[in-house]
Amino acid sequence: MSTPAPAAPKSGVREFTTRAVILGGIITLVFTAANAYLGLKVGLTFATSIPAAVISMALLRYFANHSIIENNIVQTIASAAGTLSAIVFILPGLVMVGWWANFPYWTTTLVCLVGGVLGVMYSIPLRRALVTGSDLPFPEGVAAAEVLKVGDTAEGASENKRGLRLIVLGSLASAGYALLAKMKIVAEGLSTTLRIGNGGTLFVPGLSFALIGVGHLVGVTVGFAMIVGLVISYFVLLPMWTAGDLPETGSITKVISTAFSTEVRLIGAGAIAVAAVWTLIKILGPVLRGIADSIASSRKRREGELVDITERDMPFPYVAGIVVASLVPIGVLLWTFTNGTALEGQAGGIITLSIVYILVLGLVVASVCGYMAGLIGASNSPVSGVGILVVLSAALLIRAVWGPSEGDTATALVAYTLFTAAIIFSIATISNDNLQDLKTGQLVGATPWKQQVALVIGVAFGSAIIPPVLDLLQEGFGFVGAPGAGDSALAAPQASLLASLSKGVFGGDLDWGLIGLGVIIGAVVILIDEVLSRTSKFRLPPLAVGMGMYLPMSVTLMIPVGAVLGFFYNRWADGSATGEVAEGRKRLGTLLATGLIVGESLFGVIYAGIVVATDKDEPLALPFIGEGWLHWGEALGVVVFAAVCAALYLRTKKVAAEPA
């Protein structure tokens, strides 16, 4: 697939400015907090490149001498920091296993910072291989570039104003519904149990506008695949696993819920793992060829060939020096982590192994995640699936070096494994996004080395913000499975899974049979997807099926609904206009979806602050609403939710149809 030609660089145009850094930092605060909450609630994050570009252009236009490449720097900083918040997929596992009570500021910051900077450094030599030297589509990078180009015109300024209004509208609607739900006027979701034969299942759809937004962004193919996974778990596996275990009378909810969380989800984990391995196998050859091409190109430049300004990367000696220098903070972090534990004084072997493991596997993970982002976009790239492989391989290696363990030593090794894997996960999350940003920069005529410095600054901003946000969410909600977690605790699905896998490896009680069944199901899905890809235009992404199997229905069901809404909205856009006008209308739909995510996510962060400040579990609940309102609240919630969805999309169509 070909991409638009790069824009010609403009001499004398301001690019890397102080105001761009400041504005990028401000946007970082918003998107990092929103992404952290969303990741802990539903196990997904959203790409921040496009909304960051829109907000940047809407604000920078009030300053003199602003430019498209200056906007690109703002977008790059905010995008890097927002993406780093995916570290919530693993770090809360340390709280869940009881190792941390909260998130130590400097330790958490340094884990994010060191891993994030390594992710930037590893992505630099991959730029020529995967960005300029391949035909990867980079869908989100190209889309962000088009938004920046449109915003650089008079007509684009009008679109940006409308887009910003839709982000605000979506944010207010989603935050407003979340507020009503916390007041107990409407329900946050529905819940009922069903008997199927002599087994049973749950029907627990969540009423979340953030999930509608996620569905719109990931698209109908991913949404359908998640439905397939949901059906496998809830209407095939769950009735089978609960068959004969349900009481004839009384509540059956606890039995079914336990079966899902302890057995069916492990099958889903197996499906995710085999899908991730398959993805790695498919892209390994192209990645190796790309790296070889990049090295050959660098050799030619050293021999004296002129290099255009849009091809000037951070000098390789600087990159190599930073990578080598990172050995020191990594070693200090790992050594400090073992102090005062059952591992103290005996951890030299696993620390040495971990340093080598982080440096080597980090490069592999950066290559894989960068390629996947180029292929399907950062939003759809299965970083959490890669995380499963990282934790399992780290746990198995550490166990092999350390030997048998039990009691406090086994617990310490579980925590140490999660801590080590967190650094690699930071590398994965950043490389997953960085190459998208570098593609955007290539298309608008940016200077790569300036973008790469901006990426490091974005990592620093995100690293400073993530610990207090995590602490706030931990105190306000807690995490499911963690000590003291209440009914409103955040699911943190990936962190829960990774903690369980690590404990299973060291405890020797990991049910490999359930994982093996998931592997078989995942292999069948892979086979179906491969057949579909060769015989039709349809796909069944294996990782999306695995996520549908693993995540609870309260998270998954509304994502396909949002995907269907997005599908019909985009079909309307294509049917009502052509060319750039149609694409502009689609972008406005994307910005509405982004607003839905941002509004509910930010409300969640604010609500956590209210819970902490008041020391109440439900501080906004109206005192005169009792349990008798439960079913009325569910019915009212469905009506309000559907009505607001319809009104938002009708309003977006009306705004999109307005003349520029």
Side-chain angles (χ1 to χ4, degrees), residues 146 150 155 159 162 569-589 652-653 655-660:
E146 291 303 305
V150 170
E155 295 82 2
E159 181 180 318
R162 290 184 290 164
Y569 175 85
N570 289 337
R571 193 168 75 170
W572 166 82
D574 285 329
S576 62
T578 58
E580 179 54 37
V581 175
E583 292 303 313
R585 293 180 178 182
K586 290 180 184 178
R587 283 194 293 269
L588 291 176
T652 303
K653 284 185 178 182
V655 171
E658 293 174 358

Side-chain angles (χ1 to χ4, degrees), residues 135 163 173 190 209 380 398 424 440 477 620:
D135 60 354
L190 311 180
F209 281 102
N380 298 330
I398 290 170
I424 302 177
T440 301
F477 296 102
L620 300 182

Side-chain angles (χ1 to χ4, degrees), residues 247-310:
E248 293 297 328
T249 59
S251 175
I252 60 175
T253 302
K254 184 176 181 180
V255 175
I256 300 174
S257 298
T258 301
F260 177 78
S261 60
T262 60
E263 296 175 312
V264 173
R265 289 184 75 181
L266 208 53
I267 299 173
I272 291 175
V274 72
V277 170
W278 177 248
T279 303
L280 301 182
I281 292 172
K282 288 188 70 175
I283 68 174
L284 186 59
V287 167
L288 293 176
R289 287 194 298 271
I291 293 174
D293 291 343
S294 179
I295 294 172
S297 176
S298 299
R299 187 182 304 115
K300 290 179 182 178
R301 293 197 301 275
R302 287 197 303 270
E303 291 172 353
E305 290 189 16
L306 291 177
V307 179
D308 189 270
I309 191 173
T310 59

